[in-house]
Amino acid sequence: MITSAKRVFLSAVALTLCNPVCADTLVSTQDEFRQAISTATPGDTIIMADGEWNDFEMLFSGVGSSDEPITLTAQNKGSVIITGQSNLRLVGEYLVVSGLVFKDGYSPTNTVVSFRAASGRLASHSRVTELVIDHFNNPERFETDFWVMMYGQHNRFDHNFLAGKSNAGVTMAVRLDSENSRENYHQIDHNYFGPRPILGSNGGETLRIGTSQYSLTDSFTLIEYNYFDRRDGEVEIISSKSGSNTFRGNVFFESRGTLTLRHGNDNLIEDNVFLGNGVDHTGGIRVINKRQTVRNNYLSNLKGHRFGGALVVMNGVPNSPINRYHQVEDSVIANNTIIESDHIELAAGADSERSAPPIRTTFQNNLIINAEVKDSIAVHGDISGITFSDNITSGILVFPSNQGFEARTLSLVEGSNGLLYPGAALADIGVSKSLSVLDRKDTGPSWYPKPGYEEAFDRGDVSTVVGGNDTLSDVVANSLPGDVIELEPGEYIVSKFLAIAHPLTIRGVTDGETRPIIKFERSTLFELKDGGSLKLEGITIDGSMAPDTYNNSVIRTSRYSMLNNYELYIDDVQVRNLNVNHSFHFLKVAMHTMAENIEIRNSDFQDITGHILALNRETDDLGIYNAEYVTIQNSSFINIEGSLATIYRGGTDESTFGPHFRLENSTLDNVGNGSRNSSQASVSLLGVQSTFISDNQFTNSAPIRVIHTVGEPVTTLSENVFSNTMAPIIREFQRPVL
Amino acid sequence: MITSAKRVFLSAVALTLCNPVCADTLVSTQDEFRQAISTATPGDTIIMADGEWNDFEMLFSGVGSSDEPITLTAQNKGSVIITGQSNLRLVGEYLVVSGLVFKDGYSPTNTVVSFRAASGRLASHSRVTELVIDHFNNPERFETDFWVMMYGQHNRFDHNFLAGKSNAGVTMAVRLDSENSRENYHQIDHNYFGPRPILGSNGGETLRIGTSQYSLTDSFTLIEYNYFDRRDGEVEIISSKSGSNTFRGNVFFESRGTLTLRHGNDNLIEDNVFLGNGVDHTGGIRVINKRQTVRNNYLSNLKGHRFGGALVVMNGVPNSPINRYHQVEDSVIANNTIIESDHIELAAGADSERSAPPIRTTFQNNLIINAEVKDSIAVHGDISGITFSDNITSGILVFPSNQGFEARTLSLVEGSNGLLYPGAALADIGVSKSLSVLDRKDTGPSWYPKPGYEEAFDRGDVSTVVGGNDTLSDVVANSLPGDVIELEPGEYIVSKFLAIAHPLTIRGVTDGETRPIIKFERSTLFELKDGGSLKLEGITIDGSMAPDTYNNSVIRTSRYSMLNNYELYIDDVQVRNLNVNHSFHFLKVAMHTMAENIEIRNSDFQDITGHILALNRETDDLGIYNAEYVTIQNSSFINIEGSLATIYRGGTDESTFGPHFRLENSTLDNVGNGSRNSSQASVSLLGVQSTFISDNQFTNSAPIRVIHTVGEPVTTLSENVFSNTMAPIIREFQRPVL
């Protein structure tokens, strides 16, 4: 149990007290900083001068006292900017850091803020508050590092802003790997965890408490009143891997993934609010292990399924190794409200290995409501070890148990806290009316703005270009994010790469039958730089002037790692003559790039020696992939030697929701038959999690090949017509032996 | 036939004449340049001011006259430096450019110097002289571009310096794709073509005259008195793809590859000197097509074989398509001297497709000499269509024909031109005594220094480091090329990447049994940056502190394209505990990086979850690969889940000599059995051209797997002992269907 008596935190008041002997020292250089740190005594404050501190590895070492900590702060909070190759380490006791901003750089070591200096040299009774880490990313997407590593005991991390981590690695972790980091009583509260984009791999968690190795140890970490805003990294938003943690009063807003009790026992999840707003793969709480309590949580409009559902109770592995799935035992799931959520999963993951069902577990006083009747509770195995009682439902088709559920028809009204409650009074069912909902503005430092919502495309200026030699180059180079470039009908000859560094629309103006036609002389027409996204509408692209070398493309990503996921929209585009040499692709991507969304509509492609969408660069089988959503509709493809799409997601982990692939109402004629098309498929999908191929006409083409790897991929093929085309091949993965 | 009357070149004298009305205009800015160009009249000279001109796309458009060209030159030759994203286009007539230096940049288009402005806007009767293009490379190794493109007619390119092209693309090409670029009578003379490194792919030629499409057209290009110095790009140094060209008086010094008459007829190769100096894959002349004349060439110490031999006469394809091999007909090979060269190949490439033998061809008055007897003439098919007469040999074991060869025992003496001649007088056999040998100093601009020969390693300072936390980082960061860092015995903890940006030696100082041990906390210990090479001696490397993520490594290349080939030498190194997570490799490389040489000797490796040498990033089957020479000797490998080496060279072209692999006197115990080792091999070689595996002990290991793709790979396995290890699997390539 958690005893509040053990929690001794530095209060905000301590920051403002100073007895007569303590000193405020303003430092302006790295040497002055080091000098001030080395001579600081309890009660002292080191004040960093406003401005930019570049390439600064800050070591804050000292011993303060409970009444008189040593404080490191900014001359003006938010005006001390740490940039370049920089980081911060704390070692000692009773240290306080506040007011610093890390941006425009990344750590040269594996951590930005670490509560230790080196192995064995830890910080305890220390606090980091009102700190900002904003897109402080290693430029290599799959160079793993961490923003905050908590070691030691009795530390507090509060009112901080952490947003935009885009490279691999947990945003924040509590480490228990040494004796004096366990039973740590850390407090993590009132932080703003801002948007984290889809990583497209394992390693995108927001917060991890412990590791499997020490997961049977108590951590006693309190995680309360934090705001998780669009944290989409991977399937786990929080991964609790230790015992006796409390997750209380947090808000999860439009965040893909779940709060997962992955390892460790005796954890408490209460008073949290999950607002999915219908966003794909938004999830709630996943329960594994012993003596877990999940109560008074509000889960609304969550669309996740399987391990990412609104509420998931897993099956375990009998006598599980420390790093697999322990059986759910003696757990309580009570007084939760689940509204308009698609999937509650019981005995989830049951298979030959995970054969130990939940036991001695209660599921009671929960409220489950859908506006329209649907089948949102799934049972995957034996749930006789779960006792259901006093649950009330509305709009649920099938109950997991004959008893413990009462169906009603309930309407919802908004409570004073903004949450929805049944119009009818239901005593002690669902969340309490007094549940307090954390306001986003009460998290993070008050002085640092939180990100809004902005459209990527079509929000800037519109400029018009006429045909000729290189008339496009300068306009593209001088464009701003969201701009639109309109092309008059005519021929455009492009002798240089067009670098797309931000969202940009290129739109043809058609004059009767005449359209703008773009020809290009380099190995690609468009190169998407990190941050770039592209929308093409109403143009014709002709590859006949491309160089007589293999491996050309119309669009390619940066050849380097891209931290930003990109979007690509193709509508009413004709693509011709990509055939001056072999392997001429429409879209070619590099390793460690990620398309968040690719859509092709109302377009036609003809005479192409490569692939249309070559999304297969991650062949290391590490669970990484190159595109989250790919949609092709109402388009035609004729004489394509490569595949219409080749998407590769290898690896055996279950950390991602994608890739997703959708092909509808399109025609393929002689697609995929080229001798260099190694998959020998018109559509080649490996490890894709969601496939929908419907209402298409395949003629004289190579077959569709779908290889399932891990997870429970959903593959739907319907209403396709195959003429002189082998039937689709769908099979489970087997390693090819070369 | 070539008629000298048609050659009307601008003479050097024209540069110095000026009638009263012509003007010299000094320009200092890009605008002044454009203004001066636009108003220039015949006889005018535009003088670019000394200094650096950055990001300058120069368009030199004008019409001079035969007597009064328009001249663009430097205030002081060699002092006008064009940098950044720059290039030069000439369009018009009677233009002369001289004295400019292109370096520290690359062209934003596909060409640095182009004898046209755009399609159809060509330059003729123009001259580029004393120009320097020095390592002016696109940073992307496989972004194809060209340094010089000659279009038009009657142009001259002379006394230029072109060295260090390291990205893909022919260094210089003569284009015949429009009517007024054919029968061009261009002259390419006295140029210095300096070192071009091994590209590891097709696209590394130095000079190409035409393309297959127009190869039956006469080009009448004269290529004389050029110096080809260490031009190692790929199998073709010069690729002649048009008719009636003359190659005369050129020197090929230690250059891998051959002068190839790839397409087109009626070419003349005479008075050229090939000095291989025993360097691997140095070659001579390859003959294909009709009415070729190869006479009075001196070929010495050339080690190339097959298509890269000293003298190669190919078989053709009956009724060959324009881009395959035309039959050799009516050709003459006469009065050549071939000394100490390993391979003369007749009817080379004979196979089921190339079944048309040479016909009506004479091979006469040639001199072939080896100091010790060897079998250096190979016959691959029917050579009854070659008439042999009056050839004299010394030290040749087997003759291709019963007649036309006379064996003697000849000694050699140096002639006044520095070449070797038989001591005995032989009338009209071999090259003429009066053959003039081009001196390197007579090529290129006199004012620009030519590259020498320098050792990469161990030529700098020696510094000593003691153990501790990050004691290595600063020393490595501050090192200079060729430095040596000596490590005292002790433990070294490294928390940051050690970036190796130049050749560097790290050498352990052992104290009895105690050695320096390096542990590291990031995903790799050493990262080779472009230009970096590494030698490790006498140290122990332990991976136990590496991050708990997959895909770590001890050494990796830059994740980006590297223009410079690197070298890696490992001697007396112990590697331990690369097993904190899966896929922990010793060496991991990125796409578009190239090891020129990797050698591991006297070292031992134990407990590793990945590969030792993962040289398999070029999976696009485009003929690209990651290492030229890999040698492992006297080393031991225990418990390696991945492969000892996995080398991949896909594709179907025959443009490269490598990769080469050698494994000797080593022991492998439990190597290659990891479930993630996709090749399921202890040694996995695909498309390796030369394999030698001898005197090794394999125990409890996965098999050796060798897959031959194209070429005539040589695979030798001998004296290996296999205990509880499947026998080696050697087979021809078949595409795996997924």
Side-chain angles (χ1 to χ4, degrees):
Chain A
M1 289 299 295
I2 299 164
T3 57
S4 60
K6 288 193 182 171
R7 299 195 177 278
V8 182
F9 291 113
L10 303 164
S11 71
V13 179
L15 286 173
T16 60
L17 290 175
C18 192
N19 72 29
V21 300
C22 73
D24 283 2
T25 307
L26 181 69
V27 296
S28 300
T29 67
Q30 295 192 21
D31 279 342
E32 288 176 13
F33 174 96
R34 281 184 282 267
Q35 175 66 21
I37 294 289
S38 68
T39 57
T41 56
D44 284 358
T45 297
I46 295 109
I47 301 169
M48 293 175 70
D50 288 353
E52 186 174 311
W53 296 67
N54 190 47
D55 291 345
F56 189 14
E57 294 192 66
M58 308 163 68
L59 177 59
F60 182 14
S61 168
V63 178
S65 68
S66 172
D67 292 340
E68 296 187 316
I70 302 173
T71 299
L72 171 66
T73 191
Q75 187 175 10
N76 286 287
K77 284 176 180 174
S79 297
V80 172
I81 316 292
I82 319 289
T83 63
Q85 305 244 327
S86 301
N87 57 26
L88 167 64
R89 290 172 293 162
L90 291 80
V91 56
E93 292 192 335
Y94 299 103
L95 308 176
V96 177
V97 177
S98 67
L100 309 181
V101 176
F102 285 81
K103 66 177 187 181
D104 300 329
Y106 59 97
S107 176
T109 63
N110 62 18
T111 310
V112 180
V113 175
S114 179
F115 285 76
R116 74 171 191 184
S119 183
R121 299 178 55 210
L122 314 182
S124 288
H125 298 287
S126 293
R127 180 182 181 194
V128 171
T129 185
E130 290 191 279
L131 190 96
V132 170
I133 307 180
D134 191 356
H135 290 83
F136 203 69
N137 290 319
N138 192 298
E140 272 300 329
R141 188 177 183 104
F142 286 100
E143 191 61 63
T144 297
D145 61 14
F146 312 101
W147 278 6
V148 181
M149 282 282 198
M150 287 185 96
Y151 296 89
Q153 292 168 327
H154 301 286
N155 293 314
R156 186 178 179 196
F157 186 81
D158 67 287
H159 293 88
N160 301 293
F161 174 107
L162 287 79
K165 188 170 201 303
S166 305
N167 63 320
V170 180
T171 305
M172 175 168 181
V174 175
R175 302 299 302 268
L176 276 69
D177 25 0
S178 66
E179 184 63 36
N180 45 8
S181 286
R182 297 172 200 153
E183 303 194 6
N184 53 59
Y185 296 93
H186 295 321
Q187 183 169 337
I188 299 168
D189 65 286
H190 294 91
N191 298 292
Y192 175 72
F193 292 97
R196 170 161 204 174
I198 296 168
L199 180 61
S201 159
N202 193 1
E205 303 94 333
T206 293
L207 181 58
R208 195 185 70 210
I209 319 287
T211 55
S212 62
Q213 194 176 358
Y214 305 104
S215 58
L216 298 181
T217 305
D218 283 330
S219 184
F220 295 117
T221 302
L222 175 64
I223 299 94
E224 65 178 4
Y225 308 121
N226 300 288
Y227 199 95
F228 297 88
D229 188 5
R230 292 164 279 170
R231 299 294 302 190
D232 293 342
E234 55 133 280
V235 297
E236 295 184 354
I237 304 169
I238 297 179
S239 188
S240 181
K241 296 184 170 180
S242 49
S244 297
N245 297 309
T246 298
F247 301 88
R248 179 192 293 140
N250 304 289
V251 170
F252 299 82
F253 182 81
E254 294 185 5
S255 292
R256 294 157 60 113
T258 62
L259 192 178
T260 300
L261 298 175
R262 186 65 188 86
H263 299 295
N265 307 310
D266 301 302
N267 294 287
L268 173 63
I269 301 183
E270 66 176 1
D271 302 346
N272 300 287
V273 174
F274 294 77
L275 302 172
N277 289 343
V279 170
D280 237 18
H281 302 296
T282 44
I285 299 162
R286 183 155 72 116
V287 179
I288 309 158
N289 308 293
K290 300 183 176 66
R291 298 181 301 279
Q292 313 286 30
T293 302
V294 177
R295 67 186 180 208
N296 206 46
N297 299 288
Y298 183 89
L299 304 113
S300 168
N301 240 311
L302 302 170
K303 296 298 155 188
H305 68 111
R306 198 171 175 254
F307 294 1
L311 183 60
V312 182
V313 181
M314 293 285 292
N315 253 30
V317 174
N319 302 310
S320 174
I322 191 79
N323 65 345
R324 290 297 294 156
Y325 285 85
H326 287 232
Q327 191 171 19
V328 174
E329 299 177 30
D330 301 307
S331 293
V332 176
I333 298 166
N335 287 100
N336 302 289
T337 294
I338 306 178
I339 297 178
E340 286 301 335
S341 293
D342 288 357
H343 296 278
I344 294 168
E345 314 268 12
L346 302 177
D351 58 19
S352 59
E353 184 209 14
R354 283 182 292 234
S355 61
I359 56 174
R360 294 188 305 277
T361 289
T362 60
F363 188 98
Q364 66 189 34
N365 294 39
N366 297 294
L367 176 66
I368 306 173
I369 297 188
N370 297 322
E372 296 188 3
V373 174
K374 58 185 170 182
D375 183 9
S376 53
I377 306 179
V379 177
H380 301 272
D382 174 16
I383 54 167
S384 62
I386 304 179
T387 302
F388 298 94
S389 65
D390 299 314
N391 301 291
I392 292 181
T393 70
S394 179
I396 291 291
L397 190 64
V398 181
F399 302 122
S401 167
N402 290 331
Q403 57 186 36
F405 288 91
E406 180 186 347
R408 299 222 196 152
T409 301
L410 298 168
S411 59
L412 295 167
V413 295
E414 189 173 310
S416 58
N417 56 7
L419 303 182
L420 296 174
Y421 290 86
L426 302 172
D428 198 29
I429 304 293
V431 297
S432 150
K433 288 215 171 177
S434 64
L435 174 57
S436 165
V437 182
L438 179 69
D439 194 328
R440 191 173 86 143
K441 72 175 166 45
D442 294 331
T443 61
S446 58
W447 40 263
Y448 200 81
K450 296 183 178 66
Y453 296 80
E454 53 183 23
E455 289 297 320
F457 290 100
D458 303 338
R459 60 190 153 91
D461 292 340
V462 178
S463 53
T464 302
V465 181
V466 297
N469 284 325
D470 285 324
T471 53
L472 261 174
S473 305
D474 284 348
V475 183
V476 169
N478 296 327
S479 68
L480 294 172
D483 278 1
V484 177
I485 299 175
E486 287 194 343
L487 306 190
E488 295 290 337
E491 185 172 84
Y492 295 74
I493 309 291
V494 179
S495 75
K496 304 173 192 174
F497 302 121
L498 298 179
I500 307 297
H502 45 245
L504 187 68
T505 298
I506 298 180
R507 178 192 297 160
V509 178
T510 50
D511 180 7
E513 288 296 293
T514 318
R515 295 160 62 97
I517 300 178
I518 305 180
K519 298 180 177 179
F520 53 105
E521 297 181 349
R522 296 307 303 271
S523 62
T524 200
L525 173 57
F526 298 108
E527 179 166 304
L528 296 170
K529 299 291 188 187
D530 197 8
S533 281
L534 185 62
K535 188 191 275 193
L536 299 178
E537 298 171 339
I539 59 173
T540 296
I541 297 170
D542 182 314
S544 59
M545 290 182 71
D548 183 11
T549 53
Y550 43 73
N551 218 15
N552 293 325
S553 57
V554 172
I555 305 170
R556 72 171 184 225
T557 64
S558 167
R559 289 173 182 264
Y560 303 153
S561 163
M562 291 169 70
L563 285 175
N564 293 280
N565 299 343
Y566 64 94
E567 296 174 275
L568 179 62
Y569 299 100
I570 308 294
D571 195 357
D572 184 23
V573 172
Q574 298 172 351
V575 181
R576 299 276 181 275
N577 303 322
L578 310 187
N579 56 5
V580 291
N581 204 317
H582 71 79
S583 307
F584 195 153
H585 308 295
F586 177 67
L587 171 66
K588 187 178 72 168
V589 307
M591 273 186 93
H592 301 178
T593 65
M594 177 72 166
E596 187 146 326
N597 204 6
I598 296 174
E599 298 182 10
I600 296 177
R601 292 197 171 84
N602 312 311
S603 295
D604 65 280
F605 297 75
Q606 198 163 333
D607 300 324
I608 294 175
T609 61
H611 304 298
I612 304 302
L613 302 175
L615 298 161
N616 59 347
R617 303 313 308 172
E618 305 292 352
T619 52
D620 282 339
D621 293 337
L622 300 175
I624 303 172
Y625 54 101
N626 293 121
E628 188 69 16
Y629 293 94
V630 175
T631 302
I632 300 167
Q633 293 172 322
N634 305 315
S635 295
S636 90
F637 303 88
I638 302 175
N639 300 331
I640 315 296
E641 294 184 26
S643 298
L644 168 47
T646 174
I647 305 178
Y648 191 102
R649 193 282 191 204
T652 55
D653 67 288
E654 304 176 53
S655 309
T656 69
F657 297 116
H660 307 72
F661 178 76
R662 195 170 188 94
L663 171 64
E664 292 175 288
N665 298 313
S666 295
T667 60
L668 292 80
D669 187 347
N670 188 25
V671 174
N673 295 315
S675 63
R676 289 179 182 273
N677 183 17
S678 62
S679 73
Q680 291 289 295
S682 54
V683 175
S684 173
L685 308 176
L686 185 145
V688 170
Q689 293 297 299
S690 170
T691 299
F692 185 83
I693 300 178
S694 174
D695 295 286
N696 304 291
Q697 169 78 45
F698 290 75
T699 306
N700 300 322
S701 291
I704 298 168
R705 289 179 195 266
V706 178
I707 301 179
H708 293 160
T709 57
V710 293
E712 290 170 7
V714 178
T715 299
T716 305
L717 275 69
S718 66
E719 305 295 330
N720 299 295
V721 177
F722 300 97
S723 307
N724 192 25
T725 298
M726 195 190 298
I729 297 164
I730 303 174
R731 62 178 183 73
E732 304 309 307
F733 179 71
Q734 291 173 303
R735 185 186 302 288
V737 171
L738 297 177
Chain B
M1 289 300 293
I2 299 166
T3 57
S4 59
K6 289 193 182 172
R7 300 194 177 280
V8 181
F9 290 114
L10 303 164
S11 70
V13 178
L15 287 172
T16 60
L17 291 174
C18 192
N19 72 28
V21 301
C22 73
D24 284 2
T25 307
L26 181 70
V27 296
S28 299
T29 68
Q30 296 192 20
D31 280 342
E32 288 176 11
F33 175 96
R34 281 184 283 267
Q35 176 65 22
I37 294 288
S38 67
T39 57
T41 56
D44 284 358
T45 297
I46 295 112
I47 301 168
M48 293 175 70
D50 288 353
E52 185 175 311
W53 296 68
N54 190 47
D55 291 347
F56 190 13
E57 295 192 68
M58 308 163 69
L59 176 60
F60 182 14
S61 169
V63 178
S65 68
S66 171
D67 292 340
E68 295 185 318
I70 302 174
T71 299
L72 173 65
T73 190
Q75 187 174 13
N76 286 286
K77 285 178 178 172
S79 297
V80 171
I81 316 293
I82 320 290
T83 62
Q85 306 243 327
S86 301
N87 57 28
L88 167 64
R89 289 172 294 162
L90 291 81
V91 56
E93 292 191 335
Y94 298 102
L95 308 176
V96 177
V97 177
S98 67
L100 310 181
V101 176
F102 285 82
K103 66 178 188 181
D104 300 329
Y106 60 97
S107 176
T109 64
N110 61 19
T111 310
V112 179
V113 175
S114 179
F115 284 75
R116 75 172 191 185
S119 182
R121 300 178 56 210
L122 314 182
S124 288
H125 297 288
S126 293
R127 180 181 181 195
V128 171
T129 184
E130 290 191 278
L131 190 96
V132 170
I133 307 180
D134 191 357
H135 289 82
F136 202 69
N137 290 319
N138 191 297
E140 272 301 327
R141 187 179 185 102
F142 287 100
E143 192 61 63
T144 296
D145 61 14
F146 312 101
W147 279 6
V148 181
M149 282 282 199
M150 286 185 97
Y151 296 90
Q153 292 169 326
H154 300 287
N155 293 315
R156 186 178 178 196
F157 187 81
D158 67 286
H159 292 89
N160 300 293
F161 174 107
L162 287 79
K165 189 169 201 303
S166 305
N167 64 320
V170 180
T171 304
M172 174 169 183
V174 175
R175 302 299 300 268
L176 276 68
D177 26 0
S178 66
E179 185 62 37
N180 47 7
S181 287
R182 298 172 200 152
E183 303 193 6
N184 54 59
Y185 296 94
H186 295 321
Q187 184 170 335
I188 299 168
D189 64 284
H190 294 92
N191 298 293
Y192 176 72
F193 292 97
R196 171 160 203 176
I198 295 169
L199 180 61
S201 160
N202 192 359
E205 303 94 331
T206 293
L207 180 58
R208 196 185 70 208
I209 319 287
T211 57
S212 62
Q213 194 176 357
Y214 305 104
S215 58
L216 297 182
T217 306
D218 283 330
S219 185
F220 294 118
T221 302
L222 175 65
I223 299 94
E224 65 178 4
Y225 309 121
N226 299 287
Y227 200 95
F228 297 88
D229 187 7
R230 292 165 279 170
R231 301 292 305 189
D232 293 342
E234 54 135 280
V235 295
E236 295 183 355
I237 303 169
I238 297 180
S239 189
S240 182
K241 296 184 170 181
S242 49
S244 298
N245 296 310
T246 298
F247 301 88
R248 180 191 294 140
N250 302 288
V251 171
F252 299 82
F253 182 81
E254 295 184 6
S255 291
R256 292 156 61 112
T258 62
L259 193 178
T260 300
L261 299 174
R262 186 66 188 83
H263 299 297
N265 307 310
D266 300 302
N267 294 289
L268 172 62
I269 301 183
E270 67 177 0
D271 302 348
N272 299 288
V273 174
F274 294 78
L275 303 172
N277 289 343
V279 169
D280 237 17
H281 301 298
T282 44
I285 299 163
R286 183 156 73 114
V287 179
I288 308 159
N289 307 291
K290 299 182 177 67
R291 297 182 301 278
Q292 314 285 29
T293 302
V294 177
R295 68 186 179 208
N296 205 48
N297 298 288
Y298 182 89
L299 304 114
S300 166
N301 240 311
L302 302 169
K303 295 299 153 188
H305 68 110
R306 196 170 177 257
F307 294 2
L311 183 60
V312 182
V313 180
M314 292 285 293
N315 252 31
V317 175
N319 301 309
S320 174
I322 190 79
N323 66 346
R324 291 298 294 156
Y325 286 85
H326 287 233
Q327 191 171 18
V328 174
E329 300 176 31
D330 300 309
S331 294
V332 175
I333 299 166
N335 287 99
N336 301 289
T337 293
I338 305 178
I339 297 178
E340 285 302 336
S341 293
D342 287 357
H343 296 280
I344 295 169
E345 314 269 11
L346 302 177
D351 59 18
S352 59
E353 183 208 16
R354 283 182 294 234
S355 60
I359 56 172
R360 296 187 304 276
T361 289
T362 59
F363 188 97
Q364 65 189 36
N365 294 38
N366 297 294
L367 176 66
I368 305 173
I369 298 189
N370 296 322
E372 297 188 3
V373 175
K374 60 184 168 181
D375 183 9
S376 53
I377 307 179
V379 177
H380 301 273
D382 175 17
I383 55 168
S384 62
I386 305 179
T387 302
F388 298 94
S389 66
D390 299 314
N391 300 291
I392 292 182
T393 70
S394 179
I396 291 290
L397 191 61
V398 180
F399 300 124
S401 166
N402 290 331
Q403 57 186 34
F405 288 91
E406 180 186 345
R408 300 222 196 152
T409 301
L410 298 168
S411 58
L412 295 167
V413 295
E414 189 173 311
S416 58
N417 57 6
L419 303 181
L420 296 175
Y421 290 87
L426 303 172
D428 198 30
I429 304 294
V431 298
S432 148
K433 287 215 170 176
S434 64
L435 175 58
S436 164
V437 182
L438 178 69
D439 194 326
R440 190 173 89 142
K441 72 176 167 43
D442 294 332
T443 61
S446 58
W447 41 262
Y448 200 80
K450 297 183 176 66
Y453 296 80
E454 53 183 24
E455 289 297 321
F457 289 100
D458 302 338
R459 61 191 154 92
D461 292 338
V462 177
S463 54
T464 302
V465 181
V466 298
N469 285 324
D470 285 324
T471 52
L472 260 174
S473 305
D474 285 349
V475 182
V476 169
N478 296 326
S479 68
L480 294 173
D483 278 1
V484 177
I485 298 175
E486 288 194 342
L487 307 189
E488 295 288 337
E491 184 172 84
Y492 295 75
I493 309 291
V494 179
S495 75
K496 301 173 193 174
F497 302 121
L498 298 179
I500 307 298
H502 44 244
L504 186 68
T505 299
I506 298 180
R507 179 193 295 161
V509 179
T510 49
D511 180 8
E513 289 297 293
T514 317
R515 295 161 62 96
I517 300 178
I518 305 180
K519 298 179 177 179
F520 54 105
E521 297 182 351
R522 296 308 303 270
S523 62
T524 199
L525 174 56
F526 297 108
E527 179 166 304
L528 296 171
K529 299 292 188 187
D530 197 8
S533 280
L534 186 61
K535 188 191 275 193
L536 299 178
E537 298 172 338
I539 60 174
T540 296
I541 296 171
D542 183 312
S544 58
M545 291 181 72
D548 183 11
T549 54
Y550 44 72
N551 218 16
N552 293 325
S553 56
V554 173
I555 304 170
R556 73 171 182 224
T557 64
S558 168
R559 289 171 181 266
Y560 303 153
S561 164
M562 291 168 71
L563 287 175
N564 293 279
N565 300 341
Y566 65 93
E567 297 173 274
L568 179 62
Y569 299 99
I570 307 294
D571 194 357
D572 183 24
V573 171
Q574 298 172 351
V575 181
R576 299 277 180 275
N577 303 321
L578 310 187
N579 56 5
V580 291
N581 204 316
H582 71 79
S583 307
F584 195 153
H585 308 297
F586 178 66
L587 171 67
K588 187 178 72 167
V589 306
M591 271 186 95
H592 301 179
T593 65
M594 177 71 166
E596 187 147 326
N597 203 6
I598 296 174
E599 299 181 10
I600 296 177
R601 293 197 170 83
N602 312 310
S603 294
D604 65 279
F605 297 75
Q606 198 161 333
D607 300 324
I608 293 174
T609 62
H611 303 300
I612 304 301
L613 302 176
L615 298 161
N616 59 347
R617 302 315 308 172
E618 306 291 352
T619 53
D620 283 340
D621 293 338
L622 300 175
I624 303 173
Y625 54 99
N626 294 121
E628 188 69 16
Y629 293 94
V630 175
T631 302
I632 300 167
Q633 294 172 322
N634 306 313
S635 294
S636 90
F637 304 89
I638 301 175
N639 300 331
I640 315 297
E641 294 185 25
S643 298
L644 168 48
T646 175
I647 304 177
Y648 192 100
R649 193 284 191 203
T652 56
D653 67 287
E654 304 177 51
S655 310
T656 69
F657 298 116
H660 307 72
F661 178 75
R662 195 170 188 93
L663 172 62
E664 293 175 288
N665 298 312
S666 294
T667 61
L668 293 79
D669 187 346
N670 189 24
V671 174
N673 295 315
S675 62
R676 289 179 181 273
N677 183 18
S678 62
S679 72
Q680 292 289 296
S682 53
V683 175
S684 174
L685 308 177
L686 184 144
V688 170
Q689 294 296 301
S690 169
T691 299
F692 185 83
I693 301 178
S694 173
D695 294 286
N696 304 290
Q697 169 79 45
F698 290 74
T699 306
N700 300 322
S701 291
I704 297 168
R705 289 180 196 264
V706 178
I707 300 179
H708 293 160
T709 56
V710 293
E712 290 171 7
V714 178
T715 300
T716 306
L717 274 70
S718 66
E719 306 294 331
N720 300 294
V721 177
F722 300 97
S723 306
N724 193 24
T725 298
M726 196 190 296
I729 297 165
I730 302 174
R731 64 178 182 73
E732 303 310 306
F733 178 70
Q734 291 173 302
R735 185 186 302 288
V737 171
L738 296 178

